[in-house]
Amino acid sequence: MKFLLIFIFAFNFIFDFSSARTSESLKVEIEDGKIIGGWMTSLSGKIIRAFMGIPYAAPPIGDLRFKAPQKVKPWGNVSLLAQKEPPMCTQINTFNDMYSETVYGQEDCLYLNVYTPEITKKITKKLPVLVWIHSGAWLVGHAGYTDYSPEYLLEHDIILVTGNYRLGALGFLSTEDEYSPGNYGFKDQLEILRWVKKNIEKFGGDANSVTLAGESAGAAAVNYHMFSPKSRGLFHRAISQSGHLFNPWADPAHKGKAKENAIRLAEKLHCSKSGISTKSLIECLRKISAEEITRVLRDLPVWDNDPLIAFQPVIENFDSNEEPFISELKYEKLSLDIPWIVGITSEEGLMKSASFFNNAEKLKELEENWKKILPVTFYYDHLPENEVDEINQKIYNFYFKESSFSNNKENLTNMWSEGWFGGFFDNLSYRFKSNDRENTFVYLFTHKGAASFSEYFLGEKEEFYGTCHVDEIFHLFPIQKYFPDYMSAMPTQEDRKITEIITKLWANFVTFGNPTPNYSEESKFPIWKPATKFPLDFMKIGNENGASEILLEMKKDLYPERANFWIELRKKYGLHLWAFDLNGRDEL
């Protein structure tokens, strides 16, 4: 009996201790079961509750490959330990290593993360929510904290949600029929938004105050959700950084192109032969490993890594058992009534041109073959040959005139800046025609920081060419802390100031729908005037060529000549589908 009492006492002590050591604020019960989170700290040391690796959909494997996400199986009373970074989705990096055979991640990857401030008496109301869609050309990327840690944004009283979605062929392959409708990556993102709607209040969040944000392909995805009726009511504000649905790589595939690419991939995997049905093709691809399907993506580019996105979104205007994400192409049905921050960096095109500056042989190849390269890189190679020739000459004359690619590196960068990212201006043009509310906030990010993504895009490590595509992300998320390539680039005092500014602007917008609400605390910031027409009112964020002490300034008329050139070019030749009828070139 004595030993029994000792055992019971010891058992009760251990049970009480184990119950007590887990903070109550880290225990949350959502629709699918109980979860236990962990904690981390913000830049200044504020406590952050971190719930990582929460499954939001069933693993898209086996028969669920090439299908919309399915409901996750509840785990009931067994507490899910949500304290580890989730696995990334299957991917191969063709950005800076075209010849790599290394495939990362796994197919069972549909997990999300929720980061919230510590629950204290100070926080007396539901917190606004920022849902972040990661970048990576719908080909690579990860929502884990090593890519998108909350340390900067959670200096402010908001909730951050990040999530994985399927990539490459596994996320966007379409046979343009019921057997593989496509847009699975977007449908995964939609499921994340639905999850937030159902569960975020359990974390202290406000399901009626959600901002959807992203950069590059993540930003273009935000635009698609602004368009899709399936996403209506699931978010209330939007932020699009360096990515827009009018950019050529973000355009939906021309009719027949998606199916053509699906067959092309299937042929390389011995899943296609003459006369095979799309049903049999997809059944065959479901038996191939995710790694093999993903590895084939490196064989699809025509030149260098272009076209960068082989599997584009599709308009699902065909019979299918799945609910379509987008089934029509009318721009005026876009959700234009929500507040929107939208902007670009000053040298976006370094994403492509930086590698030429650091590789004389590659630059020479461009000089000798530009008439074949430009139509591929800017997605107009589907046009008749005479029109391709006309566009080639117009682009060359506009940027280079009597010079050459190698003698005008600034314009080489500008060409890719506008050619890949200038759809931003078309987007605004249509928005202004459709909406007269003052809720569009435009920015230009110009900061030259200690580190630049031009290095990632194969530029010189110790030389900065400008403010590259993705460079503003250094100031929203602590990438330098987790990416070994950037650990030798210590943030400067000015970098830290930009981080303080941009996170405050973004947090204000997430909270109020306005980056500079007119109250006393914000008097140190210039008021960010909304853009309502051309010439554009815009906020310049960052220094000027590394010299100016002014880090935040309202300006007017953003790149008018360069913007107009591409707007007119796209209109004349129908270079994107959003502004033109599928059956012709009449403006909608």
Side-chain angles (χ1 to χ4, degrees), residues 385-424:
E385 185 177 349
N386 66 309
E387 294 190 358
V388 168
D389 291 341
E390 288 176 14
I391 297 170
N392 280 343
Q393 203 59 53
K394 285 177 184 292
I395 293 173
Y396 190 89
N397 291 344
F398 183 78
Y399 286 101
F400 304 104
K401 297 185 176 72
E402 301 300 323
S403 64
S404 66
F405 294 100
S406 56
N407 293 333
N408 199 328
K409 292 183 178 180
E410 180 181 350
N411 277 1
L412 186 65
T413 297
N414 290 344
M415 180 178 71
W416 261 289
S417 292
E418 283 86 59
W420 271 7
F421 300 98
F424 154 81

Side-chain angles (χ1 to χ4, degrees), residues 49-321:
R49 297 190 303 157
F51 302 87
M52 297 182 287
I54 304 171
Y56 68 85
I61 58 178
D63 289 342
L64 296 186
R65 181 187 286 175
F66 305 127
K67 286 185 179 179
Q70 304 295 304
K71 185 172 174 55
V72 70
K73 183 179 179 181
W75 52 90
N77 291 322
V78 178
S79 292
L80 176 72
L81 200 61
Q83 298 176 349
K84 289 185 178 181
E85 183 172 65
M88 65 178 64
C89 290
T90 314
Q91 58 192 264
I92 187 168
N93 190 349
T94 60
F95 274 117
N96 55 8
D97 191 354
M98 277 297 298
Y99 306 103
S100 173
E101 292 193 4
T102 305
V103 176
Y104 303 91
Q106 64 185 51
E107 204 168 1
D108 176 6
C109 64
L110 300 185
Y111 300 88
L112 56 77
N113 313 298
V114 179
Y115 305 101
T116 87
E118 183 182 20
I119 301 299
T120 65
K121 291 181 180 179
K122 177 186 173 185
I123 300 173
T124 58
K125 60 181 181 180
K126 297 174 185 176
L127 296 176
V129 182
L130 174 64
V131 178
W132 181 265
I133 306 297
H134 75 71
S135 61
W138 303 319
L139 185 68
V140 298
H142 183 216
Y145 71 85
T146 50
D147 291 68
Y148 300 106
S149 168
E151 293 169 57
Y152 291 171
L153 284 166
L154 266 292
E155 282 291 295
H156 309 281
D157 286 340
I158 64 173
I159 288 176
L160 173 66
V161 177
T162 64
N164 287 336
Y165 57 92
R166 283 171 282 179
L167 302 165
L170 297 171
F172 292 90
L173 181 143
S174 174
T175 51
E176 300 183 52
D177 59 22
E178 61 187 296
Y179 300 109
S180 183
N183 294 332
Y184 307 114
F186 289 160
K187 292 169 184 176
D188 294 341
Q189 296 164 12
L190 177 62
E191 200 61 30
I192 291 172
L193 288 170
R194 287 171 172 165
W195 186 96
V196 168
K197 184 73 172 179
K198 288 185 289 188
N199 295 293
I200 203 63
E201 293 195 359
K202 298 291 181 66
F203 297 86
D206 187 348
N208 295 312
S209 183
V210 175
T211 299
L212 186 62
E215 189 272 340
S216 194
V222 169
N223 277 180
Y224 272 96
H225 286 282
M226 291 169 72
F227 181 90
S228 174
K230 300 300 177 187
S231 304
R232 298 284 163 81
L234 297 177
F235 65 101
H236 314 90
R237 289 171 287 282
I239 301 174
S240 295
Q241 302 173 210
S242 302
H244 317 92
L245 50 75
F246 277 103
N247 292 333
W249 49 265
D251 241 3
H254 290 262
K255 188 172 179 61
K257 185 66 175 178
K259 183 176 179 179
E260 177 187 317
N261 284 339
I263 293 172
R264 190 173 163 213
L265 178 135
E267 286 173 344
K268 291 181 179 293
L269 294 166
H270 310 291
C271 276
S272 181
K273 57 186 177 181
S274 179
I276 191 173
S277 68
T278 50
K279 179 182 179 182
S280 297
L281 183 149
I282 292 300
E283 287 174 349
C284 179
L285 286 177
R286 286 199 175 108
K287 296 173 184 176
I288 305 292
S289 73
E291 290 74 20
E292 287 181 82
I293 290 174
T294 302
R295 193 173 286 114
V296 166
L297 293 176
R298 73 192 180 117
D299 299 326
L300 297 181
V302 175
W303 175 80
D304 193 42
N305 54 8
D306 293 337
L308 187 60
I309 299 178
F311 295 95
Q312 294 171 278
V314 292
I315 302 300
E316 298 172 69
N317 55 357
F318 41 77
D319 292 334
S320 171
N321 295 325

Side-chain angles (χ1 to χ4, degrees), residues 419-440:
W420 271 7
F421 300 98
F424 154 81
F425 295 100
D426 305 62
N427 203 336
L428 288 170
S429 177
Y430 276 81
R431 182 172 170 92
F432 295 153
K433 289 177 184 177
S434 306
N435 177 30
D436 58 4
R437 292 184 59 181
E438 296 190 352
N439 57 5
T440 305

